[in-house]
Amino acid sequence: MDAWIIYSKSTIEKKIKSGEIEKTKKYAKDNFNIDVDVISSHDFFISCEKGFNKIYYKGKEIKVLPKIVIFRKYDIYLARQLELMGVKVMNSTQAMIDARNKMKTYQVLANKGISTPKTLYIVSGIKKKCFYYDQVCKFFNNNKFILKYTYGSQGKYVHLITCEKEFNEAIKKYEGICIFQEYIESSFGKDIRCYVIGGKFIGAAIRQSAGDDFRSNLARGGHALKFDYNDKVAKLAVDASNAFNLDICGVDILFKGNDEYTVCEVNALPGFKSLRATTGKRGSIVLLELIKDTLKEL
Ligand code: ADP
Ligand code: MG
């Protein structure tokens, strides 16, 4: 077996029903002569004892592992076990851990000199210390700013704070596990979703929000529009992805006006809907091409 692509149990069930798994396997064999299996993360056991790290799938120990494993539903322990056993895991466990945490993301981006909105984290924890409101407004020189749950996704846990009541409510909701960020008003309701695969820029789309939502996530009703990207945007996306050594990366970029851009987030498990809608490229083919290219380098 050359590679596994691992999804969540519910996604695998949908893919079995739609016949997509067989199609992907056949496409891989017919077009690239590679053997790929598409499986659920749910059926694994992993064990460790002195000198032995083992992996079991559906109750049976796996003696011969694939060369590459792509995760589309992350499990840190399974990924780490595979890496320890010599498998090339994409994205790597470390890259995944770094990109999953929003504060870590902004720390890495800023440290590499990549443009990102000014971000603030309150070290002592802010569970009951809502009196920080004035200081946060002062830091941004604005009483409008963004508050994000540190581990959020799909726009669900991102808020535009405009008063102390909203600030207190959001902090209570996330028990202080959140960051504050400069509000990039010029990007209201839209951003650029870029795809960087194997370190290469492969496409981008504008995501436009539904109604008057400042967040442009498709999961919140936004839609994807064609985008004539320029080199500046492509370079920013590639730099952001490379800062984390991500193999599969969706970079969200905000418009700062005057042809200036800033990185809103790096996604290590990007959905491919925007890419498909604007360029016709299918996520499954993008992943198979990545496997084919990576096999050559191993
Ligand atoms: P998630 O992981 O939930 O997608 P993001 O940080 O990508 O979180 O934020 C979701 C959306 O909210 C972005 O796509 C963008 O439209 C908007 N957004 C996020 N941060 C800012 C910001 N600092 N200024 C303006 N809009 C923002
Ligand atoms: Mg996002």
Side-chain angles (χ1 to χ4, degrees), residues 102 106 148 152-155 158 191 193 207 216-217 250-253 264-267:
K102 290 196 189 292
Y106 297 117
K148 299 182 185 183
S153 67
Q154 303 193 322
V158 178
D191 68 1
R193 160 53 66 90
R207 300 185 308 175
S216 53
N217 304 69
V251 185
D252 297 345
I253 293 178
C264 175
E265 125 166 285
V266 293
N267 285 277

Side-chain angles (χ1 to χ4, degrees), residues 183-234:
Y183 172 42
I184 308 296
E185 199 159 0
S186 44
S187 206
F188 179 92
K190 63 178 198 276
D191 68 1
I192 308 165
R193 160 53 66 90
C194 300
Y195 292 89
V196 182
I197 306 295
K200 291 188 200 99
F201 182 88
I202 64 154
I206 289 190
R207 300 185 308 175
Q208 180 71 54
S209 76
D212 58 0
D213 199 327
F214 75 97
R215 297 158 297 185
S216 53
N217 304 69
L218 299 199
R220 303 206 55 80
H223 55 276
L225 303 167
K226 276 205 167 150
F227 176 54
D228 286 330
Y229 61 88
N230 53 40
D231 289 349
K232 213 171 181 175
V233 168

Side-chain angles (χ1 to χ4, degrees), residues 111-133:
N111 182 253
K112 299 266 181 186
I114 296 168
S115 171
T116 189
K118 196 171 162 184
T119 301
L120 179 69
Y121 169 73
I122 298 181
V123 175
S124 59
I126 41 175
K127 210 167 174 178
K128 290 192 182 111
K129 300 180 186 168
C130 298
F131 52 82
Y132 279 116
Y133 176 70

